[in-house]
Amino acid sequence: AVDLSVRPGEILGLAGLVGAGRTSLARAVFGVEPVLAGTIRLGGAELGERAPREAIAGGIYLVPEDRKRSGIVLDMSIA
């Protein structure tokens, strides 16, 4: 079980050993992976199935571990 509380203006970082689930947790909160159990609340409202675009609109961002493979789109122009 994980219980996180983040106040406005705070930045949350997750740390842990390889295989501890920190990447899966971050990706589930961001909307890249499904939430397998429990709930995610933002401002008291429960967030259901959603996409990263909705997470960003709610002020949730993800900086992936492998930014070159997962964080940028190399085949798209900057425009």
Side-chain angles (χ1 to χ4, degrees):
V2 177
D3 187 3
L4 305 170
S5 295
V6 183
R7 293 181 287 242
E10 292 183 332
I11 297 172
L12 173 68
L14 300 173
L17 298 174
V18 172
R22 68 189 183 321
T23 301
S24 294
L25 172 62
R27 290 172 55 89
V29 169
F30 190 62
V32 177
E33 291 185 11
V35 176
L36 300 178
T39 60
I40 298 173
R41 296 184 184 278
L42 179 62
E46 184 175 328
L47 301 177
E49 293 290 324
R50 67 194 186 293
R53 182 179 309 264
E54 295 164 331
I56 292 169
I60 299 171
Y61 302 90
L62 174 67
V63 178
E65 294 172 303
D66 186 347
R67 287 173 293 287
K68 187 172 183 180
R69 185 175 11 182
S70 302
I72 59 176
V73 186
L74 295 173
D75 59 344
M76 293 180 70
S77 73
I78 197 160

